[in-house]
Structures are given as structure tokens and as C-alpha cells.
């Protein structure tokens, strides 16, 4: 069905993104990609496979054989976000520069993924954290919808290389590590510093239009 749809739609290739799998299915998933890859290549198309950061939980991180997947596919796409998510016990960045760099080093080192095979995907969204009465909640905010209240304190976080805001409202403390042109530019520099294959984003339509100018500049796209 995958091959049939690719041929009928005359596209460039396919991106395979399976998440939250059982660790026990790790080898089965590798076998699926191993058998799919030559069929994709026979029709002259590209195969890329999405994976999460190494060394996490069984169903989020340890369910992938990253080395095998990288060897048989054209590109391995590192899902470089969800560092802190809805289930996190502490507020933090969705995708901090320092976190991404640690994971890139793991891909290139312990996972032995070739740099020319690795694409880093980054978020076009962030989270607004709310701390009130000892409880922590958060909500997703698209890059294009980020607003900074007049009473917010804005600083630059050197670790995450993001603009950070904090403010109080109705008895609650709000925090946000902002995804914007600055954070995107810094992550693109990270890709260039490690000479990776390229960049990806989640997801189109959530971004500020201005961010594409930075992407074109940093990635040297005409």
C-alpha cells in the first residue's frame, strides 16, 4: 500500500513515524524498515525514519535500533522536542539547545549514526506553564500565537538559548521558554556546527512567517 500510494501520487518519498511502541517490538520495527527500504529505492524515492532521543523510557526511546534504521534508510529524523511535556513534573523548555546538543552527541557517538544521515526536527510551538497552589499545568502555544504580557520579566536563558518570560497573574506564576526566530536560529546553528544533513519542523502553519527568512539564511536555501 505504501509503494502503491507513493507511485500514484508522484511524491519525493515517505517519512515513517511510529511512536510509543513496545520495546519488545524493536526488532520487528527494524525488520519492517529493512524490508521497506529496497522497495522505496527501487522506484527512485527517499525513505526517512523518525526517532526520539536516545536513553529515555522503554516506549518512547528504547524501542528504536537507531543504528540499523539509519543504515537502511536515507535519513534518520531526530524528533528534537518534547523535552518537557504535559506529564513533566517541572516546568522547562520544549526543546532546549543544551538538551538537543547532548542528544546529537549521543546519535553520533553511542548510536554511531553518520552525520550526513541525521536530520534534526524542531518545534514551531512551546508551552505556557502555570504554577498555582502547588500544582503545575501547561498548555501548548503555537509560535505565531506567543504574546508577552506587559508585566512579564523577559531574560535570555543561556543554557536553552531561548528568550524566557515569567509573570504573575491571579495568584499564579506563569513561565515560558519561547520558540521564536532567536531560538530557531540557535538550533539551526547547532545543526551547522555538527554538519548534520538538515532540519525539519513540527508543524507547518504554527510558525511566524519571519522564521522562514532565518531558515533560508542558515540552511543556505535559495
Amino acid at each position: 500500500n505504501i509503494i502503491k500510494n507513493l507511485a500514484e501520487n508522484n511524491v519525493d518519498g515517505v517519512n515513517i513515524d511510529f511512536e510509543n511502541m513496545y520495546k519488545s517490538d524493536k526488532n520487528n520495527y527494524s525488520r519492517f524498515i529493512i524490508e521497506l527500504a529496497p522497495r522505496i529505492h527501487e522506484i527512485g524515492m527517499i525513505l526517512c525514519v523518525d526517532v526520539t532521543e536516545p536513553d529515555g523510557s522503554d516506549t518512547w526511546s528504547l524501542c528504536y535500533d537507531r543504528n540499523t534504521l539509519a543504515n537502511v534508510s536515507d535519513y534518520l529524523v531526530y524528533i528534537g522536542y518534547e523535552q518537557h511535556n504535559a506529564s513533566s513534573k517541572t516546568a522547562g523548555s520544549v526543546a532546549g539547545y543544551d538538551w538537543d546538543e547532548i542528544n546529537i552527541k549521543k546519535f553520533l557517538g553511542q548510536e554511531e549514526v553518520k552525520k550526513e544521515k541525521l536530520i534534526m526536527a524542531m518545534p514551531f510551538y512551546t508551552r505556557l506553564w502555570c504554577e498555582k497552589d502547588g500544582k503545575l499545568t501547561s498548555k501548548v502555544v503555537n509560535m505565531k500565537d506567543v504574546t508577552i504580557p506587559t508585566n512579564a520579566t523577559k531574560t535570555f536563558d543561556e543554557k536553552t538559548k531561548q528568550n524566557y518570560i515569567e509573570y504573575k497573574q491571579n495568584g499564579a506564576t506563569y513561565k515560558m521558554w519561547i520558540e521564536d526566530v532567536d531560538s530557531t536560529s540557535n538550533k539551526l546553528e547547532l545543526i551547522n556546527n555538527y554538519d548534520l544533513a538538515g532540519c525539519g519542523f513540527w508543524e507547518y502553519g504554527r510558525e511566524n512567517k519571519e522564521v522562514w527568512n532565518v531558515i533560508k539564511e542558515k540552511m543556505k536555501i535559495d
Side-chain angles (χ1 to χ4, degrees), residues 16 24 27 29 70-71 80 90 112 134 138 140 164 175 183 207 211:
I16 304 294
S24 57
N27 291 335
Y29 185 59
N71 285 339
T90 58
E112 297 183 334
S138 69
V140 170
Y164 168 76
K175 300 177 179 180
S183 65
E207 77 282 5
V211 79

Side-chain angles (χ1 to χ4, degrees), residues 1 53 67 73 161 208 212:
N1 284 335
E53 73 277 8
N67 181 265
S73 63
K161 295 195 182 299
N208 287 329
W212 291 110

Side-chain angles (χ1 to χ4, degrees), residues 49-60:
V49 181
D50 291 1
V51 295
T52 58
E53 73 277 8
D55 301 328
S57 67
D58 283 1
T59 56
W60 182 247

Side-chain angles (χ1 to χ4, degrees), residues 30-91:
S30 293
R31 175 51 53 185
F32 166 54
I33 300 300
I34 288 169
E35 295 185 11
L36 177 63
R39 298 288 301 279
I40 298 292
H41 295 148
E42 280 175 7
I43 59 175
M45 292 187 180
I46 293 170
L47 170 65
C48 56
V49 181
D50 291 1
V51 295
T52 58
E53 73 277 8
D55 301 328
S57 67
D58 283 1
T59 56
W60 182 247
S61 296
L62 302 183
C63 51
Y64 300 107
D65 182 341
R66 291 168 181 79
N67 181 265
T68 296
L69 296 175
N71 285 339
V72 299
S73 63
D74 295 291
Y75 299 104
L76 200 67
V77 182
Y78 157 45
I79 302 174
Y81 39 86
E82 293 299 274
Q83 177 185 4
H84 293 86
N85 53 56
S87 62
S88 295
K89 303 300 183 183
T90 58

Side-chain angles (χ1 to χ4, degrees), residues 35 41 47 89 103-104 115 126 135 142 161 174 182 205:
E35 295 185 11
H41 295 148
L47 170 65
K89 303 300 183 183
N103 288 322
I104 287 172
K115 63 182 181 180
T126 186
K135 295 181 179 179
N142 294 333
K161 295 195 182 299
Y174 290 88
D182 292 337

